[in-house]
Amino acid sequence: MSSPRKGPILFDLDDSVPKAAPSEAAPVPELEASVPQGRAMQTAAVLATRRPSKLARIFWGLVGALLTFAISLAAWDFATGLIARVPLLGYAVMGMIGALILVLIAIALREIAAFARLGRIDALHRRADMALADNDLPAARALTDNLVQLYAAREDTSWGRTRLAEQRGDQFDAATLLALAEAELLVPLDSAALREVEAAARQVAAVTALVPLALADVVVALTANIRMIRRIAEVYGGRSGTLGSLRLTRAVMTHLVATGAVAVGDDVISSVAGGSLLSKISRRFGEGVVNGALTARVGVAAMEVCRPLPFSAGKRPKVRRIVATALSGLFPS
């Protein structure tokens, strides 16, 4: 029996098959670059708008009530027992408990006042919408008076209040009067609010791009947006407490989620020069640009909510301009 033949085996190819030139070869398929989606901001928006179920609220309410009752009873027993053993120390502890109760009452009153301020600004905003819709000049004049009263104690609006008082008599329709009030009183406040938006967008973008820790970008995005919304409210005179800030944040985020604004649009990456190229070079940098742009969107929505007057035509800040100003120099173009 013969041994198997070893060595290379040659195959004859059909000469009728044309041979393709290298220039005619199909290009090598490139792996599709993952487009940044701003996951940190989208997650932060979901967390800010999520409401626990009714059963969960009842559960945590009962747990909080029981803990408060147990702690109060333990503190009272401790104070009365200490009074029986060492009267001087016992009365000192009782005084500290009383001081703590007074502080809690002061915090509660501050929160109530914060809700009242936010409600006052919201009422002014609704009245302005109605006055503009009906072209109601008397209502616009009354609204302007309330607006001047709102900013009467602020030095940064004194010059605008003076100019408004000089020119308001020459306005004979609601739209021009409210436009004058906006120009003299709110435009300087808009500039201060925009600086807060730019600072928050810059912070969120930088942390997203430079800090690779898991969930760090989500935490920074959530805290930066809450702080930004609170400061915007303070700029427009609606200083909010802790609960007021959380409620305002939920209102802004709910509006954005409902309208689909907390999502990546075609203009988000291109908001910064070279942003689309940047996203291909580094996904982290691309995510930073997108998260910064989404933070700017949240800031503009917060300005609309916290502003006592609606933006007149052409006065609403442009997100692309905010992002370009905030991120210029932060990322290389």
Side-chain angles (χ1 to χ4, degrees), residues 132-143:
L132 290 172
D134 300 335
N135 195 20
D136 190 345
L137 182 59
R141 286 175 175 170
L143 175 62

Side-chain angles (χ1 to χ4, degrees), residues 22-294:
S23 60
E24 300 176 356
V28 178
E30 297 181 358
L31 294 177
E32 184 180 356
S34 56
V35 179
Q37 297 294 319
R39 298 296 182 188
M41 274 300 301
Q42 296 187 35
T43 304
V46 172
L47 292 176
T49 56
R50 178 177 296 172
R51 294 181 63 88
S53 65
K54 185 176 181 180
L55 186 61
R57 292 198 299 269
I58 294 175
F59 171 77
W60 290 113
L62 291 174
V63 169
L66 288 175
L67 287 177
T68 302
F69 180 76
I71 293 173
S72 301
L73 184 60
W76 180 262
D77 290 341
F78 174 73
T80 54
L82 193 60
I83 289 175
R85 295 193 305 271
V86 185
L88 184 60
L89 292 179
Y91 285 120
V93 171
M94 189 66 73
M96 286 187 288
I97 293 175
L100 177 60
I101 293 174
L102 292 177
V103 170
L104 292 176
I105 293 175
I107 292 174
L109 293 176
R110 188 182 66 176
E111 292 292 336
I112 294 173
F115 278 107
R117 284 191 294 267
L118 294 176
R120 183 181 179 186
I121 290 180
D122 187 57
L124 290 175
H125 194 103
R126 291 197 305 269
R127 288 171 55 193
D129 287 333
M130 295 176 61
L132 290 172
D134 300 335
N135 195 20
D136 190 345
L137 182 59
R141 286 175 175 170
L143 175 62
T144 304
D145 292 336
N146 295 142
L147 197 62
V148 171
Q149 292 175 3
L150 178 65
Y151 297 126
R154 295 184 56 163
E155 291 296 332
D156 54 349
T157 62
S158 60
W159 187 74
R161 283 185 278 113
T162 302
R163 285 183 54 85
L164 178 61
E166 294 173 352
Q167 302 178 41
R168 61 176 295 175
D170 300 331
Q171 316 304 319
F172 299 103
D173 63 87
T176 55
L177 178 59
L178 293 183
L180 177 64
E182 178 185 20
E184 299 300 341
L185 294 179
L186 296 185
V187 168
L189 304 183
D190 292 339
S191 300
L194 284 175
R195 287 194 294 270
E196 298 293 343
V197 177
E198 292 169 2
R202 188 181 303 111
Q203 179 185 10
V204 172
V207 171
T208 302
L210 302 178
V211 179
L213 298 178
L215 296 181
D217 51 356
V218 177
V219 174
V220 170
L222 187 59
T223 56
N225 278 268
I226 292 175
R227 183 169 58 249
M228 174 188 66
I229 293 173
R230 180 172 183 170
R231 289 178 176 175
I232 289 174
E234 292 175 352
V235 166
Y236 290 114
R239 294 183 300 274
S240 58
T242 303
L243 297 179
S245 297
L246 295 178
R247 180 180 177 182
L248 191 59
T249 301
R250 178 174 295 171
V252 172
M253 291 293 189
T254 300
H255 171 71
L256 290 175
V257 171
T259 57
V262 185
V264 178
D266 295 336
D267 61 335
V268 173
I269 296 294
S270 61
S271 296
V272 180
S276 57
L277 177 62
L278 185 64
S279 66
K280 295 179 181 179
I281 297 175
S282 171
R283 176 174 173 80
R284 296 296 302 179
F285 282 1
E287 284 287 329
V289 173
V290 173
N291 285 327
L294 295 180

